[in-house]
Every structure is written in structure tokens, then in C-alpha cells.
Amino acid sequence: MHCIQSRTRDPASFFLVGATITPRHEAAMRLSSYFLPTLKETPAEAQIVSHRLMLRSGMIRQASAGIYSWLPLGHRVLRRIEGIVREEMDAAGSSEMLMPTIQPAELWRESGRYDDYGKEMLRISDRHEREMLYGPTNEELITDIFRNCVKSYRDLPINLYHIQWKFRDEVRPRFGVMRGREFLMKDAYSFDLDFNGARDSYNAMFVAYLKTFSRLGLRTIPVRAESGAIGGDLSHEFQIIAETGESQLYFDATFEEIAHEPSPEFVGKLQSLYAATDDKHDTSECPVPTERLRTARGIEVGHIFYFGTKYAQPMGAKVAGANGEPTTVEMGSYGIGVSRLVGAIIEASHDEAGIIWPDAVAPFKIGLINLRPSDTACAEAGEDLYQRISAVGIDVLYDDREERPGAKFATMDLIGIPWQLTVGPRGLATGVVELKRRSSGEREEVSIESALARLID
RNA sequence: CGGAGUGUAGCUCAGCCUGGUAGAGCACCGUCUUCGGGAGGCGGGGGCCGGUGGUUCGAAUCCACUCACUCCGACCA
């Protein structure tokens, strides 16, 4: 209430904000008024680099074991990743929806998983002593929706997804957000009339995943997988290579040599290449000659399954087929660990000084550093750059704090902003600012206008 | 769930063995000197030593229980 009143000139203007008030790009931010609690030292609880850097850069704070609050900087990255995942799912023809975090136990009894899932499932009872659970996944719920709403084969295929928090009560949470108990996941579900349809749906998701991870700046290796607790015959894990990966991978060197074209024709080729985790890899039966076999640690960031009628059968998800006969639908599910990706990307992209965000997921594109805000020339130049960059809708974080230069550079390096634009008295004296690329460390002094031209194009 | 650790200031840690007024560095506040890659001086604020119960004249320190967190293993998006 207070906020609205203080910003609103009169009742009418409230409805005309866009037309009457200069739009202020929401993504632009002054560090002096931002919430960025960075740490110079590493908290003792963090063992791996992504966890350490996420704590130090003020992205997250732990609420309890495996459960985290996402502070503004971390939240931005999470939303960026989520946005890319959403765009690619939409482009692949999946429809976004949102299912609840709390589910009734009875649906899980129908599928038989209520007892199978064990202690990993967080069970809750409501005030009426009704058994509920915090969903670790959503096959039952989506199947229930489907069976109640879809009656004809003419409505197929259907592909639905949502991006929602899940909970798995891991015995031993670790590695920060990479193995949390609460995690944000995109899960999609496909419904088809027969195996061929399901296979097409599966491959469409396979392609969408290649596109998604490629946009996130990651190179993934699709590894054929057993379908585990969810069950089924056709399944791939998408692994990214990182030293701290949890599983040991063996794969054909061809993966490193070919460009990953996300096309349907390419799917068959990629699926035919050898890749296995250590528990599946058998040296004596491996078809790849030793000199062509690569090994590395991998982090699983996505998993796709075809599982046929595993849920549709017990839960009675049937449609009328072309001949009018009831036909049980063929299903698949497709997960991407959105919150895990935040940690995974850091594992794959960092140095001693901090995070190096790929441009697509960076919380800000430009870190504008004013080395001496108390100096009139610096303040004017900094403010001018800040206004001009934010005016064109580019995400810029303006370090306008009264801090020492070293601290400012260290902060920008730590939080991994792709471009650093530095304004200082020394450079301004000769009309230049410094432009630094975080990923390469490359620095050059350029005029203000050419810096803007480089960053805004 | 088995095994092993750790809980003292916002963060990193000392003090505990051998009980006697709670400490350092960083961070924070004030101030001075500084100012181009996490500077320095002076002054200041901040802790029920995870919790409960014991032993003792006296417990951060010894004992018991308990809670939390971390690591190794088994498990897993």
C-alpha cells in the first residue's frame, strides 16, 4: 500500500504506467540497493566448488539440510534457466501447466508406488488425518488428470509439462543444490495411442533437450539408462562433463568431434553412439575400441523415459481408439533438474576467482563498476552509462558503492558477470573506460561510445 | 540407514587436554590516511560457547542425554 501510494501520482496514472512514466528496466540494478551478501571466506559446510561459490556469491543460503533459500542473485539465474527450458518445451509443442506440490496418497496407492517409494517420499497428514505427500514426481497426478479429461484417440498425442518444486527425502543430501532434498524440476509427460507415437514423442523430447542444453552453454552426452524406479524400456540420461560429476562415464570419442545438431535425423546417430555409466560399462563387451573410448565424470541434468502403460494400465487411462475400442495410452516422462543445473553450470564454468556465467544464464549481462563514485566525473559517466544501458533493456548491475577498487573487481569476478565495464578517474582523464570479458580475462581500454556499441549491438 | 566428525561473534577459527572475568582475523559502525584487482592506523558494537540435565564453591572446558550440521559408505533428478 505504502509503495503503491508513493509511486502513484494520481489514480488514473496507475493504469497508465507504461504510457506516462518512462519505463525503467526492471532488470537493471544498483548494487548499493541490491541484496548481495557475499562472503570472502568459504563456509565450512560447503565441499564442492559450486556449493562454495553459490554461498560466497550470495546466491543461496541453507535453510536446513538439502533445502535452500534462493537470494536475489541466485533467483535470477534460476529464472533464466527456467525461461530457456520453458521456451524450448513450448517450441517442442508441450503445453505448460502447474500441478500442486502436495498430492493425495490415494493416487499413489492406485499405481502401487505409495509403498514402493519408501522413506524418500515425504509423507504428511492433514488435519483430517488424511494421508498426503509432498510430490517427488507427478506421473500419478497427470495420469489422473488425463483419464478424467481425454476420451478419444483424436485428442492424441498430448504433451504437458510443468516446472515445480519437488521433494525427495534423500538420506544424505549433499553438494548444495545439486543433491538437495527440495529441488525445482521441469517434468513433461507424453500420451500417445501406440508405441510408434510414443517413440516419436520420445524423440521429439530428445531433440528439445539437445536444444535446451545447447542454449544453456552446455555440451551433454545422452547416455542410455535403465529406467529405475519409474520403470520402462527406453530411457536416456543427459550428462554434462565436469570433474566433480557423481558418475563415471565411458563414451565414444565421436561425441567430442561431432557438432550436436538438434535435428530429428541426428537423433538416430546420437542414440546409436556408445555411452554408459560405470555400473553399465563392461570393458569386455564395449564396442568402442580402446583408443576411441573416452572416460570422464558426469553430472546428470536431464532424464527421459518411455514407460508404456506402467501408470496408464493400473490407473485406467484409456481412450476410444479408431475402432471404438478402449485403448490404454502409452506414456513417457521427461525431466530436467532446473535447480541442479545452476550448480552443474558452475561446476562446468568457474575459475579461482569465481563463477563464469554463460551469457544465456547470467544474472546480469554487464557489471558496471564505478571505481570512485565520490568523484563527479566518475559519477556522471557511471550514471550516464547505467541509464543508457538499462534504457535499451540490457541487464546491468551498477556497482555504485563506496568501496575500494579491489573489492569491486573481486565481487564482479566472484559473481561471474560476463562483461565488466569499469569507469575510473584514470581512464576518464583520457576519455576511456575498461571493458573486460570475464570468461577470457581479456581487458581493453576503449572509448565510452565504442564500449556501448560493443555491448548493445 | 551403518561408520566417523564438528557445533564458541555474520564468516574462518583459537581457547577445552590441565575447570577460575570469552578471544583473534575478516565482516559491521565511527574516524583518519588511502584509493586501478578483497589496503592500513585509532576507536567502537556484537556471543546464554547448539540444547537439557548432572558433577563442582565455580563449567565453553569434565560426564550423560538430546538436537543440528558435515564427511565416508549404501541410495538417488
Side-chain angles (χ1 to χ4, degrees):
Chain A
M1 198 60 175
H2 175 74
C3 265
I4 290 173
Q5 287 180 337
S6 67
R7 289 178 185 209
T8 304
R9 291 156 188 164
D10 62 70
S13 76
F14 182 71
F15 299 99
L16 296 168
V17 169
T20 58
I21 299 172
T22 306
R24 173 129 148 42
H25 187 46
E26 281 183 13
M29 188 57 68
R30 290 170 200 275
L31 193 43
S32 61
S33 55
Y34 199 49
F35 183 66
L36 186 72
T38 58
L39 301 171
K40 199 187 277 189
E41 290 178 278
T42 302
E45 78 248 26
Q47 298 301 313
I48 63 166
V49 67
S50 62
H51 192 191
R52 285 201 287 259
L53 288 175
M54 287 180 77
L55 289 167
R56 285 194 53 210
S57 63
M59 293 177 68
I60 55 168
R61 283 295 182 270
Q62 179 167 303
S64 73
I67 302 177
Y68 296 87
S69 295
W70 292 77
L71 308 186
L73 191 76
H75 184 243
R76 270 178 179 259
V77 177
L78 194 64
R79 290 293 175 238
R80 282 270 191 289
I81 294 171
E82 188 184 317
I84 289 171
V85 169
R86 175 176 290 115
E87 285 176 18
E88 291 302 326
M89 290 305 294
D90 290 346
S94 188
S95 303
E96 185 168 15
M97 62 182 297
L98 186 59
M99 287 178 270
T101 54
I102 307 291
Q103 305 179 24
E106 58 184 359
L107 284 178
W108 287 68
R109 288 223 163 80
E110 279 193 61
S111 71
R113 282 209 292 182
Y114 193 68
D115 295 323
D116 292 350
Y117 227 95
K119 291 191 151 186
E120 296 237 316
M121 181 146 74
L122 181 63
R123 294 150 207 264
I124 306 166
S125 53
D126 68 13
R127 66 192 302 161
H128 305 296
E129 300 293 315
R130 189 178 173 197
E131 292 175 290
M132 313 292 281
L133 56 98
Y134 195 124
T137 177
N138 289 68
E139 280 82 6
E140 283 80 358
L141 206 45
I142 195 78
T143 304
D144 181 54
I145 292 166
F146 179 90
R147 69 182 173 184
N148 289 330
C149 302
V150 182
K151 301 297 179 189
S152 163
Y153 79 100
R154 293 171 188 269
D155 295 323
L156 301 181
I158 288 174
N159 191 312
L160 298 166
Y161 78 99
H162 76 339
I163 300 174
Q164 177 64 292
W165 291 93
K166 308 276 192 291
F167 195 91
R168 291 185 194 167
D169 199 359
E170 296 279 343
V171 193
R172 190 183 159 208
R174 61 189 128 165
F175 305 148
V177 299
M178 298 233 296
R179 173 58 62 74
R181 291 194 291 172
E182 187 183 53
F183 55 97
L184 186 62
M185 185 174 176
K186 184 285 299 178
D187 43 321
Y189 302 91
S190 65
F191 300 86
D192 285 275
L193 188 62
D194 52 30
F195 174 76
N196 286 336
R199 177 81 202 212
D200 289 346
S201 293
Y202 182 91
N203 286 339
M205 287 291 104
F206 192 99
V207 172
Y209 274 38
L210 292 178
K211 286 183 182 171
T212 302
F213 294 127
S214 159
R215 280 188 62 190
L216 291 171
L218 298 169
R219 201 164 53 107
T220 48
I221 296 181
V223 180
R224 211 182 331 265
E226 295 300 318
S227 27
I230 292 182
D233 317 283
L234 183 53
S235 174
H236 283 86
E237 294 174 355
F238 288 77
Q239 300 264 358
I240 68 170
I241 303 301
E243 284 175 19
T244 44
E246 290 192 72
S247 39
Q248 185 74 31
L249 301 180
Y250 297 86
F251 56 92
D252 193 319
T254 309
F255 276 115
E256 295 176 332
E257 294 153 4
I258 53 175
H260 281 206
E261 315 154 28
S263 68
E265 304 73 51
F266 190 65
V267 168
K269 175 164 177 61
L270 217 47
Q271 290 182 356
S272 69
L273 289 173
Y274 182 82
T277 50
D278 54 355
D279 49 323
K280 306 284 183 333
H281 179 69
D282 184 339
T283 311
S284 61
E285 290 180 15
C286 178
V288 182
T290 315
E291 69 276 10
R292 297 285 299 163
L293 187 67
R294 298 287 181 270
T295 180
R297 305 295 295 180
I299 300 170
E300 182 183 349
V301 290
H303 203 154
I304 59 179
F305 301 89
Y306 159 73
F307 48 72
T309 60
K310 180 179 164 88
Y311 302 97
Q313 176 68 45
M315 296 185 68
K318 296 174 194 168
V319 296
N323 57 5
E325 291 294 310
T327 308
T328 301
V329 294
E330 298 266 335
M331 294 174 59
S333 72
Y334 315 92
I336 290 179
V338 176
S339 51
R340 170 180 281 192
L341 271 166
V342 180
I345 290 169
I346 295 172
E347 289 295 327
S349 184
H350 66 271
D351 62 15
E352 288 72 27
I355 301 165
I356 302 172
W357 290 116
D359 295 72
V361 302
F364 296 92
K365 179 181 179 184
I366 300 169
L368 174 62
I369 298 175
N370 184 344
L371 287 181
R372 203 177 299 176
S374 60
D375 178 86
T376 308
C378 287
E380 284 175 1
E383 189 66 27
D384 180 54
L385 281 164
Y386 178 61
Q387 293 296 345
R388 290 171 69 182
I389 293 167
S390 56
V392 295
I394 292 178
D395 298 329
V396 54
L397 180 63
Y398 179 28
D399 190 346
D400 56 342
R401 299 171 302 165
E402 288 291 347
E403 285 286 341
R404 299 175 53 77
K408 297 192 172 208
F409 291 126
T411 297
M412 284 300 178
D413 282 348
L414 175 64
I415 68 176
I417 309 303
W419 293 98
Q420 288 174 23
L421 183 58
T422 302
V423 176
R426 200 175 75 193
L428 281 186
T430 56
V432 297
V433 291
E434 184 186 274
L435 189 58
K436 173 182 159 179
R437 181 69 173 158
R438 176 69 178 90
S439 55
S440 63
E442 197 179 333
R443 291 186 270 180
E444 56 180 312
E445 298 206 320
V446 295
S447 72
I448 289 177
E449 294 310 318
S450 64
L452 281 172
R454 290 264 302 274
L455 294 169
I456 287 177
D457 64 11

